[in-house]
Structures are given as C-alpha cells and as structure tokens.
PDB file of all heavy atoms in Angstrom:
ATOM      1  N   ASP A   1       0.858  -1.174   0.000  1.00 92.00           N
ATOM      2  CA  ASP A   1       0.000   0.000   0.000  1.00 92.00           C
ATOM      3  C   ASP A   1       0.904   1.236   0.000  1.00 92.00           C
ATOM      4  O   ASP A   1       1.331   1.724   1.049  1.00 92.00           O
ATOM      5  CB  ASP A   1      -0.907  -0.003   1.237  1.00 92.00           C
ATOM      6  CG  ASP A   1      -1.969   1.093   1.206  1.00 92.00           C
ATOM      7  OD1 ASP A   1      -1.756   2.095   0.485  1.00 92.00           O
ATOM      8  OD2 ASP A   1      -2.982   0.958   1.891  1.00 92.00           O
ATOM      9  N   VAL A   2       1.208   1.734  -1.192  1.00 90.00           N
ATOM     10  CA  VAL A   2       2.170   2.826  -1.348  1.00 90.00           C
ATOM     11  C   VAL A   2       1.690   4.092  -0.643  1.00 90.00           C
ATOM     12  O   VAL A   2       2.468   4.786   0.022  1.00 90.00           O
ATOM     13  CB  VAL A   2       2.435   3.099  -2.840  1.00 90.00           C
ATOM     14  CG1 VAL A   2       3.312   4.324  -3.011  1.00 90.00           C
ATOM     15  CG2 VAL A   2       3.086   1.880  -3.488  1.00 90.00           C
ATOM     16  N   ARG A   3       0.414   4.414  -0.773  1.00 88.00           N
ATOM     17  CA  ARG A   3      -0.107   5.638  -0.160  1.00 88.00           C
ATOM     18  C   ARG A   3       0.021   5.589   1.360  1.00 88.00           C
ATOM     19  O   ARG A   3       0.392   6.579   2.000  1.00 88.00           O
ATOM     20  CB  ARG A   3      -1.564   5.833  -0.560  1.00 88.00           C
ATOM     21  CG  ARG A   3      -1.758   6.209  -2.040  1.00 88.00           C
ATOM     22  CD  ARG A   3      -3.214   6.502  -2.330  1.00 88.00           C
ATOM     23  NE  ARG A   3      -3.409   6.880  -3.732  1.00 88.00           N
ATOM     24  CZ  ARG A   3      -4.592   7.187  -4.257  1.00 88.00           C
ATOM     25  NH1 ARG A   3      -5.683   7.165  -3.477  1.00 88.00           N
ATOM     26  NH2 ARG A   3      -4.696   7.507  -5.519  1.00 88.00           N
ATOM     27  N   ARG A   4      -0.285   4.455   1.932  1.00 90.00           N
ATOM     28  CA  ARG A   4      -0.197   4.324   3.391  1.00 90.00           C
ATOM     29  C   ARG A   4       1.249   4.416   3.861  1.00 90.00           C
ATOM     30  O   ARG A   4       1.550   5.045   4.873  1.00 90.00           O
ATOM     31  CB  ARG A   4      -0.811   2.997   3.827  1.00 90.00           C
ATOM     32  CG  ARG A   4      -0.810   2.775   5.340  1.00 90.00           C
ATOM     33  CD  ARG A   4      -1.475   1.471   5.689  1.00 90.00           C
ATOM     34  NE  ARG A   4      -1.453   1.236   7.129  1.00 90.00           N
ATOM     35  CZ  ARG A   4      -1.933   0.144   7.709  1.00 90.00           C
ATOM     36  NH1 ARG A   4      -2.493  -0.806   6.972  1.00 90.00           N
ATOM     37  NH2 ARG A   4      -1.876   0.008   9.022  1.00 90.00           N
ATOM     38  N   ALA A   5       2.146   3.777   3.102  1.00 92.00           N
ATOM     39  CA  ALA A   5       3.555   3.754   3.503  1.00 92.00           C
ATOM     40  C   ALA A   5       4.201   5.132   3.428  1.00 92.00           C
ATOM     41  O   ALA A   5       5.149   5.416   4.161  1.00 92.00           O
ATOM     42  CB  ALA A   5       4.329   2.766   2.637  1.00 92.00           C
ATOM     43  N   THR A   6       3.692   5.987   2.551  1.00 93.00           N
ATOM     44  CA  THR A   6       4.318   7.300   2.350  1.00 93.00           C
ATOM     45  C   THR A   6       3.451   8.451   2.858  1.00 93.00           C
ATOM     46  O   THR A   6       3.728   9.610   2.529  1.00 93.00           O
ATOM     47  CB  THR A   6       4.628   7.518   0.859  1.00 93.00           C
ATOM     48  OG1 THR A   6       3.397   7.437   0.108  1.00 93.00           O
ATOM     49  CG2 THR A   6       5.599   6.475   0.348  1.00 93.00           C
ATOM     50  N   ALA A   7       2.418   8.158   3.631  1.00 91.00           N
ATOM     51  CA  ALA A   7       1.483   9.186   4.095  1.00 91.00           C
ATOM     52  C   ALA A   7       2.225  10.321   4.803  1.00 91.00           C
ATOM     53  O   ALA A   7       3.029  10.092   5.707  1.00 91.00           O
ATOM     54  CB  ALA A   7       0.457   8.576   5.038  1.00 91.00           C
ATOM     55  N   GLY A   8       1.962  11.554   4.355  1.00 88.00           N
ATOM     56  CA  GLY A   8       2.556  12.726   4.986  1.00 88.00           C
ATOM     57  C   GLY A   8       4.003  12.973   4.640  1.00 88.00           C
ATOM     58  O   GLY A   8       4.640  13.847   5.234  1.00 88.00           O
ATOM     59  N   ALA A   9       4.538  12.237   3.680  1.00 92.00           N
ATOM     60  CA  ALA A   9       5.951  12.401   3.314  1.00 92.00           C
ATOM     61  C   ALA A   9       6.079  12.648   1.817  1.00 92.00           C
ATOM     62  O   ALA A   9       5.203  12.301   1.024  1.00 92.00           O
ATOM     63  CB  ALA A   9       6.753  11.168   3.705  1.00 92.00           C
ATOM     64  N   ALA A  10       7.193  13.252   1.437  1.00 92.00           N
ATOM     65  CA  ALA A  10       7.472  13.508   0.023  1.00 92.00           C
ATOM     66  C   ALA A  10       8.978  13.452  -0.204  1.00 92.00           C
ATOM     67  O   ALA A  10       9.763  13.519   0.747  1.00 92.00           O
ATOM     68  CB  ALA A  10       6.929  14.868  -0.390  1.00 92.00           C
ATOM     69  N   GLY A  11       9.384  13.304  -1.468  1.00 94.00           N
ATOM     70  CA  GLY A  11      10.801  13.306  -1.809  1.00 94.00           C
ATOM     71  C   GLY A  11      11.561  12.169  -1.157  1.00 94.00           C
ATOM     72  O   GLY A  11      11.033  11.061  -0.991  1.00 94.00           O
ATOM     73  N   PRO A  12      12.813  12.416  -0.750  1.00 95.00           N
ATOM     74  CA  PRO A  12      13.661  11.375  -0.171  1.00 95.00           C
ATOM     75  C   PRO A  12      13.044  10.695   1.064  1.00 95.00           C
ATOM     76  O   PRO A  12      13.236   9.492   1.276  1.00 95.00           O
ATOM     77  CB  PRO A  12      14.941  12.132   0.195  1.00 95.00           C
ATOM     78  CG  PRO A  12      14.989  13.270  -0.763  1.00 95.00           C
ATOM     79  CD  PRO A  12      13.562  13.677  -0.949  1.00 95.00           C
ATOM     80  N   LEU A  13      12.295  11.458   1.865  1.00 96.00           N
ATOM     81  CA  LEU A  13      11.670  10.869   3.053  1.00 96.00           C
ATOM     82  C   LEU A  13      10.633   9.832   2.640  1.00 96.00           C
ATOM     83  O   LEU A  13      10.543   8.748   3.245  1.00 96.00           O
ATOM     84  CB  LEU A  13      11.017  11.956   3.906  1.00 96.00           C
ATOM     85  CG  LEU A  13      10.289  11.469   5.174  1.00 96.00           C
ATOM     86  CD1 LEU A  13      11.248  10.693   6.081  1.00 96.00           C
ATOM     87  CD2 LEU A  13       9.661  12.642   5.910  1.00 96.00           C
ATOM     88  N   ALA A  14       9.852  10.122   1.613  1.00 96.00           N
ATOM     89  CA  ALA A  14       8.863   9.162   1.107  1.00 96.00           C
ATOM     90  C   ALA A  14       9.548   7.925   0.553  1.00 96.00           C
ATOM     91  O   ALA A  14       9.092   6.796   0.755  1.00 96.00           O
ATOM     92  CB  ALA A  14       7.993   9.826   0.043  1.00 96.00           C
ATOM     93  N   HIS A  15      10.653   8.144  -0.154  1.00 96.00           N
ATOM     94  CA  HIS A  15      11.401   7.011  -0.708  1.00 96.00           C
ATOM     95  C   HIS A  15      11.900   6.091   0.400  1.00 96.00           C
ATOM     96  O   HIS A  15      11.820   4.864   0.295  1.00 96.00           O
ATOM     97  CB  HIS A  15      12.595   7.517  -1.535  1.00 96.00           C
ATOM     98  CG  HIS A  15      12.200   8.374  -2.694  1.00 96.00           C
ATOM     99  ND1 HIS A  15      13.070   9.260  -3.288  1.00 96.00           N
ATOM    100  CD2 HIS A  15      11.032   8.473  -3.371  1.00 96.00           C
ATOM    101  CE1 HIS A  15      12.456   9.873  -4.286  1.00 96.00           C
ATOM    102  NE2 HIS A  15      11.223   9.410  -4.358  1.00 96.00           N
ATOM    103  N   ARG A  16      12.432   6.683   1.466  1.00 97.00           N
ATOM    104  CA  ARG A  16      12.954   5.874   2.563  1.00 97.00           C
ATOM    105  C   ARG A  16      11.837   5.146   3.300  1.00 97.00           C
ATOM    106  O   ARG A  16      11.970   3.973   3.643  1.00 97.00           O
ATOM    107  CB  ARG A  16      13.755   6.774   3.517  1.00 97.00           C
ATOM    108  CG  ARG A  16      14.252   6.107   4.799  1.00 97.00           C
ATOM    109  CD  ARG A  16      14.886   4.751   4.592  1.00 97.00           C
ATOM    110  NE  ARG A  16      16.012   4.787   3.658  1.00 97.00           N
ATOM    111  CZ  ARG A  16      16.561   3.689   3.143  1.00 97.00           C
ATOM    112  NH1 ARG A  16      16.097   2.483   3.446  1.00 97.00           N
ATOM    113  NH2 ARG A  16      17.563   3.783   2.303  1.00 97.00           N
ATOM    114  N   ARG A  17      10.731   5.816   3.550  1.00 97.00           N
ATOM    115  CA  ARG A  17       9.622   5.172   4.246  1.00 97.00           C
ATOM    116  C   ARG A  17       9.084   3.986   3.450  1.00 97.00           C
ATOM    117  O   ARG A  17       8.816   2.922   4.010  1.00 97.00           O
ATOM    118  CB  ARG A  17       8.502   6.179   4.498  1.00 97.00           C
ATOM    119  CG  ARG A  17       8.777   7.153   5.632  1.00 97.00           C
ATOM    120  CD  ARG A  17       7.545   7.981   5.928  1.00 97.00           C
ATOM    121  NE  ARG A  17       7.778   8.926   7.011  1.00 97.00           N
ATOM    122  CZ  ARG A  17       6.856   9.789   7.450  1.00 97.00           C
ATOM    123  NH1 ARG A  17       5.658   9.813   6.890  1.00 97.00           N
ATOM    124  NH2 ARG A  17       7.145  10.604   8.443  1.00 97.00           N
ATOM    125  N   LEU A  18       8.922   4.180   2.150  1.00 97.00           N
ATOM    126  CA  LEU A  18       8.402   3.102   1.309  1.00 97.00           C
ATOM    127  C   LEU A  18       9.387   1.938   1.263  1.00 97.00           C
ATOM    128  O   LEU A  18       8.993   0.772   1.330  1.00 97.00           O
ATOM    129  CB  LEU A  18       8.120   3.629  -0.101  1.00 97.00           C
ATOM    130  CG  LEU A  18       7.565   2.610  -1.108  1.00 97.00           C
ATOM    131  CD1 LEU A  18       6.304   1.948  -0.576  1.00 97.00           C
ATOM    132  CD2 LEU A  18       7.300   3.275  -2.452  1.00 97.00           C
ATOM    133  N   THR A  19      10.664   2.255   1.160  1.00 97.00           N
ATOM    134  CA  THR A  19      11.690   1.204   1.124  1.00 97.00           C
ATOM    135  C   THR A  19      11.704   0.406   2.424  1.00 97.00           C
ATOM    136  O   THR A  19      11.767  -0.832   2.396  1.00 97.00           O
ATOM    137  CB  THR A  19      13.077   1.824   0.871  1.00 97.00           C
ATOM    138  OG1 THR A  19      13.057   2.558  -0.352  1.00 97.00           O
ATOM    139  CG2 THR A  19      14.148   0.744   0.791  1.00 97.00           C
ATOM    140  N   ASP A  20      11.634   1.088   3.551  1.00 97.00           N
ATOM    141  CA  ASP A  20      11.641   0.389   4.836  1.00 97.00           C
ATOM    142  C   ASP A  20      10.396  -0.473   5.012  1.00 97.00           C
ATOM    143  O   ASP A  20      10.467  -1.596   5.541  1.00 97.00           O
ATOM    144  CB  ASP A  20      11.744   1.401   5.981  1.00 97.00           C
ATOM    145  CG  ASP A  20      13.103   2.076   6.052  1.00 97.00           C
ATOM    146  OD1 ASP A  20      14.051   1.558   5.418  1.00 97.00           O
ATOM    147  OD2 ASP A  20      13.223   3.112   6.738  1.00 97.00           O
ATOM    148  N   ALA A  21       9.242   0.038   4.567  1.00 97.00           N
ATOM    149  CA  ALA A  21       8.010  -0.752   4.638  1.00 97.00           C
ATOM    150  C   ALA A  21       8.111  -1.992   3.753  1.00 97.00           C
ATOM    151  O   ALA A  21       7.666  -3.087   4.128  1.00 97.00           O
ATOM    152  CB  ALA A  21       6.812   0.107   4.222  1.00 97.00           C
ATOM    153  N   LEU A  22       8.720  -1.833   2.591  1.00 98.00           N
ATOM    154  CA  LEU A  22       8.904  -2.951   1.673  1.00 98.00           C
ATOM    155  C   LEU A  22       9.819  -4.010   2.269  1.00 98.00           C
ATOM    156  O   LEU A  22       9.525  -5.207   2.217  1.00 98.00           O
ATOM    157  CB  LEU A  22       9.486  -2.431   0.354  1.00 98.00           C
ATOM    158  CG  LEU A  22       9.877  -3.479  -0.679  1.00 98.00           C
ATOM    159  CD1 LEU A  22       8.672  -4.299  -1.106  1.00 98.00           C
ATOM    160  CD2 LEU A  22      10.529  -2.809  -1.882  1.00 98.00           C
ATOM    161  N   LEU A  23      10.942  -3.583   2.851  1.00 98.00           N
ATOM    162  CA  LEU A  23      11.874  -4.545   3.452  1.00 98.00           C
ATOM    163  C   LEU A  23      11.229  -5.284   4.620  1.00 98.00           C
ATOM    164  O   LEU A  23      11.520  -6.466   4.848  1.00 98.00           O
ATOM    165  CB  LEU A  23      13.149  -3.836   3.895  1.00 98.00           C
ATOM    166  CG  LEU A  23      14.317  -3.825   2.889  1.00 98.00           C
ATOM    167  CD1 LEU A  23      14.892  -5.224   2.718  1.00 98.00           C
ATOM    168  CD2 LEU A  23      13.898  -3.267   1.529  1.00 98.00           C
ATOM    169  N   PHE A  24      10.340  -4.613   5.350  1.00 98.00           N
ATOM    170  CA  PHE A  24       9.616  -5.288   6.433  1.00 98.00           C
ATOM    171  C   PHE A  24       8.759  -6.421   5.868  1.00 98.00           C
ATOM    172  O   PHE A  24       8.736  -7.536   6.421  1.00 98.00           O
ATOM    173  CB  PHE A  24       8.732  -4.291   7.188  1.00 98.00           C
ATOM    174  CG  PHE A  24       7.877  -4.940   8.248  1.00 98.00           C
ATOM    175  CD1 PHE A  24       8.404  -5.261   9.496  1.00 98.00           C
ATOM    176  CD2 PHE A  24       6.541  -5.244   7.988  1.00 98.00           C
ATOM    177  CE1 PHE A  24       7.617  -5.880  10.469  1.00 98.00           C
ATOM    178  CE2 PHE A  24       5.754  -5.857   8.951  1.00 98.00           C
ATOM    179  CZ  PHE A  24       6.292  -6.177  10.191  1.00 98.00           C
ATOM    180  N   GLU A  25       8.055  -6.158   4.769  1.00 98.00           N
ATOM    181  CA  GLU A  25       7.207  -7.185   4.161  1.00 98.00           C
ATOM    182  C   GLU A  25       8.049  -8.341   3.611  1.00 98.00           C
ATOM    183  O   GLU A  25       7.679  -9.511   3.740  1.00 98.00           O
ATOM    184  CB  GLU A  25       6.352  -6.576   3.046  1.00 98.00           C
ATOM    185  CG  GLU A  25       5.349  -5.536   3.520  1.00 98.00           C
ATOM    186  CD  GLU A  25       4.357  -6.101   4.529  1.00 98.00           C
ATOM    187  OE1 GLU A  25       4.014  -7.293   4.431  1.00 98.00           O
ATOM    188  OE2 GLU A  25       3.927  -5.332   5.417  1.00 98.00           O
ATOM    189  N   ILE A  26       9.184  -8.020   3.008  1.00 98.00           N
ATOM    190  CA  ILE A  26      10.071  -9.065   2.501  1.00 98.00           C
ATOM    191  C   ILE A  26      10.579  -9.922   3.648  1.00 98.00           C
ATOM    192  O   ILE A  26      10.655 -11.161   3.540  1.00 98.00           O
ATOM    193  CB  ILE A  26      11.252  -8.446   1.717  1.00 98.00           C
ATOM    194  CG1 ILE A  26      10.751  -7.770   0.437  1.00 98.00           C
ATOM    195  CG2 ILE A  26      12.301  -9.508   1.385  1.00 98.00           C
ATOM    196  CD1 ILE A  26      11.819  -7.011  -0.319  1.00 98.00           C
TER     197      ILE A  26
END
C-alpha cells in the first residue's frame, strides 16, 4: 500500500519510508 507507507511524506523521506516498509514485508 504505497499511499499508506508514504502518508505525509514527500521526496527522499517518502522514498525511505516506502523502502523500509517494503523490506519489512520481505
């Protein structure tokens, strides 16, 4: 859920949040 993972963030912060959420799922 990309929107949930990046809620309230943009740019590099959004990239990092999404990446960390992805690694958690993996």
Side-chain angles (χ1 to χ4, degrees):
D1 188 337
V2 174
R3 290 185 179 180
R4 182 178 179 182
T6 59
L13 178 58
H15 299 158
R16 174 46 57 193
R17 284 188 180 179
L18 180 55
T19 302
D20 290 344
L22 174 61
L23 266 291
F24 176 81
E25 296 300 327
I26 293 174

